[in-house]
Amino acid sequence: MAPLNRIIIDTDPGVDDVLAMLLALAAKPEELEVLLLSVTYGNVPVSSCLRNVVALFHVIEQELKWRRDRGQLEGFGTMPFSKPIVAIGPDHPLEDDTLAADYFHGADGLAGVHESHPHLSPADTWKTLFETPKEGATAEEIAIAKELALPSQSFTPSNVAAHKEILRLLKENPRDTITIVAVGPLTNLALAAAEDPETFLKVKEVCVMGGAIDIEGNVTPLAEFNTFADAVATARVFALTSPNPITTMPPPALINHLPMYPKKLSRKLKLTLFPLDITTPHKIYRQPMNAKLDPLIAAGSPLAEWVSAFLNKTFQKIESLTRPQENPGLELHDPLCVWYMLTKSSPSWMLAPKAPEDIRVEIAGQWSRGAHIIDRRQRKKMGGAPEQVKSPGAVDITNPMESASIDQITADLSEADLEDAPGDNGGWLDARKGNRIDRIVSTPGEDAFGPYLLERIFG
């Protein structure tokens, strides 16, 4: 049976990224197919992020052998049918200084698990898998070297840049058959969109964990980490949701090494946003986590030992940053996007009442860089409002006073049209301008997700 969803995961593996990938790889073959893990910098440098991906497959293979030896169901049903490509992106943002979150995730991104549990880490020979072959090496020599260095048969290493692998997969597959789940800085996506926007727009949907709308950020009062880490990349990707992307693109003077998008594009990008507002309340708690994993560790589970090691260290970090707690919780920001892919037909997944919203990203503010901006003024837009999107279980939320459809307002803008109307700096009140973002505001349940994640991964 063909999978319901074929996905690319763009990730900067720290703790919650690894949980997101585990949840995806633990899916049934009819639910998900993971085509590519495109690795970016973020929580830690890109080299550490890549190491964590390789270690993930190494531990899963040990776990599957342990389960087979015990005669129990192996799980991770999608893995025999899918051998994801692993490719690396750049080690820095498009324009800004590199930001890291190693203060929280640890120097290696996984709370020091490679030092504390070296028997669960792959040998360093894997590093050669992602290097450009030596000049003059034959295809046979390259294949033999890769086979000797490969610590896992469950993934396919690539020495092609991650954004080029994204474009290749989109180009080789029919339109609307691949979804990108982006749970790190959006640099890889911005590079892909800049190089070949029409191929990039073949994507079915881009699910982005990022931003803060009605709550405070987690790296500044206004900004969430992934967006702050490369605000320019986020703004460029968001601009593709606009009927006229030029109206929300970063000024060329701020990023002169990437081209502007063509004036005419075949369609708009469908982008679904998972901001801190919706991800923060979904947590995994220490007590039920240990209750689930401790018996498995005692029985010899490599995966339970590995995950328990970095999660318990992370719970200790949470307490050091806040206060001692009887049952601290880890916010499941990135895994929430994978949960959506597995259960998106549920009517409990709800969009903001006015979706799609014109959400824009501040790219250069001294104190507001990375902020997600929504126009909260109660003012009618010129030409009506975009056609609103219904959530699976929503009642009709369309405002009959704003009945213009999106097709009626996507006419090309002339040079004169690009000028802001008096009293409307930024074109916020012009329905031909601005982004079109679908923002998630409700899920199948905050308390349900932690137990669901543990059960799907560990059985």
Side-chain angles (χ1 to χ4, degrees):
M1 178 184 296
L4 288 174
N5 293 288
R6 307 173 74 221
I7 66 172
I8 291 168
I9 302 179
D10 191 70
T11 176
D12 59 332
V15 173
D16 59 328
D17 298 74
V18 167
L19 293 177
M21 288 186 288
L22 280 170
L23 182 58
L25 294 169
K28 300 172 184 176
E30 63 269 22
E31 293 176 319
L32 281 185
E33 180 183 5
V34 182
L35 300 172
L36 167 68
L37 298 174
S38 54
V39 183
T40 186
Y41 67 91
N43 290 314
V44 289
V46 70
S47 58
S48 296
C49 291
L50 179 60
R51 183 188 191 188
N52 293 340
V53 172
V54 175
L56 170 69
F57 285 104
H58 178 69
V59 174
I60 290 175
E61 285 201 352
Q62 292 188 48
E63 175 73 9
L64 295 178
K65 181 180 184 303
W66 176 76
R67 293 182 186 183
R68 283 195 300 271
D69 291 345
R70 285 166 53 89
Q72 68 182 73
L73 292 174
E74 294 181 28
F76 292 90
T78 191
M79 290 186 62
F81 302 92
S82 172
K83 191 174 180 180
I85 299 163
V86 175
I88 322 166
D91 59 3
H92 57 84
L94 295 180
E95 291 295 314
D96 303 310
D97 294 331
T98 302
L99 178 71
D102 50 2
Y103 73 93
F104 182 81
H105 292 268
D108 66 354
L110 291 178
V113 74
H114 298 295
E115 289 190 6
S116 64
H117 292 68
H119 60 291
L120 295 176
S121 294
D124 283 347
T125 53
W126 63 266
K127 294 179 181 179
T128 61
L129 297 171
F130 299 92
E131 297 173 355
T132 303
K134 292 181 180 179
E135 187 175 351
T138 67
E140 183 179 6
E141 289 172 337
I142 294 170
I144 291 173
K146 284 193 172 186
E147 186 175 348
L148 291 173
L150 192 62
S152 168
Q153 299 298 320
S154 300
F155 71 92
T156 303
S158 172
N159 51 32
V160 175
H163 77 277
K164 292 183 179 293
E165 288 285 14
I166 291 172
L167 289 173
R168 181 183 64 80
L169 287 169
L170 291 173
K171 186 174 293 184
E172 292 177 358
N173 287 274
R175 192 168 82 166
D176 292 332
T177 58
I178 295 176
T179 295
I180 299 176
V181 178
V183 292
L186 297 186
T187 313
N188 283 331
L189 273 64
L191 290 171
E195 182 169 316
D196 189 345
E198 283 296 348
T199 294
F200 186 76
L201 288 173
K202 289 180 66 179
V203 71
K204 180 179 181 180
E205 180 180 11
V206 175
C207 299
V208 174
M209 190 279 120
I213 306 299
D214 294 315
I215 66 172
E216 66 276 5
N218 57 7
V219 288
T220 75
L222 296 175
E224 172 273 334
F225 177 86
N226 288 340
T227 305
F228 190 86
D230 198 341
V232 171
T234 306
R236 286 186 63 102
V237 173
F238 278 25
L240 284 173
T241 70
S242 173
N244 291 286
I246 194 171
T247 63
T248 62
M249 282 281 280
L254 288 180
I255 179 164
N256 55 24
H257 69 280
L258 288 183
M260 299 295 282
Y261 298 133
K263 186 175 181 181
K264 289 186 177 182
L265 291 168
S266 61
R267 64 176 185 168
K268 300 179 299 300
L269 176 68
K270 176 176 172 55
L271 190 148
T272 304
L273 184 67
F274 297 75
L276 292 178
D277 309 57
I278 195 64
T279 62
T280 299
H282 295 77
K283 299 179 181 180
I284 188 172
Y285 292 92
R286 181 165 60 192
Q287 289 181 358
M289 185 274 291
N290 284 331
K292 181 71 174 178
L293 299 192
D294 285 352
L296 294 172
I297 295 170
S301 165
L303 182 60
E305 181 183 1
W306 191 63
V307 171
S308 176
F310 65 72
L311 281 184
N312 274 307
K313 282 285 188 180
T314 304
F315 288 131
Q316 292 174 21
K317 173 59 69 173
I318 290 169
E319 290 183 298
S320 73
L321 295 173
T322 54
R323 65 187 189 286
Q325 302 172 52
E326 181 179 353
N327 192 27
L330 169 68
E331 295 161 359
L332 297 170
H333 302 296
D334 298 339
L336 197 72
C337 297
V338 177
W339 193 28
Y340 169 76
M341 295 308 303
L342 290 168
T343 62
K344 64 186 299 185
S345 62
S346 168
S348 298
W349 291 103
M350 302 287 286
L351 302 177
K354 290 283 188 177
E357 299 171 298
D358 182 6
I359 302 176
R360 308 189 195 181
V361 177
E362 175 56 58
I363 60 171
Q366 181 179 3
W367 311 118
S368 59
R369 187 185 110 200
H372 281 51
I373 311 298
I374 294 179
D375 187 356
R376 302 187 187 280
R377 299 171 296 177
Q378 298 299 310
R379 296 176 64 180
K380 187 176 177 64
K381 288 199 174 193
M382 181 187 75
E387 186 176 73
Q388 294 172 354
V389 178
K390 290 184 182 180
S391 304
V395 297
D396 190 348
I397 55 175
T398 303
N399 184 344
M401 298 301 294
E402 297 177 338
S403 58
S405 74
I406 194 72
D407 293 329
Q408 292 173 290
I409 58 176
T410 55
D412 293 331
L413 297 182
S414 66
E415 291 299 321
D417 290 330
L418 288 174
E419 298 294 327
D420 294 334
D424 184 27
N425 291 342
W428 291 90
L429 301 177
D430 189 332
R432 299 168 298 174
K433 302 178 182 180
N435 296 327
R436 306 286 189 267
I437 307 292
D438 291 334
R439 173 168 60 100
I440 296 290
V441 297
S442 177
T443 75
E446 296 171 7
D447 296 332
F449 186 37
Y452 173 93
L453 181 140
L454 288 172
E455 188 63 28
R456 290 299 297 255
I457 295 173
F458 295 101

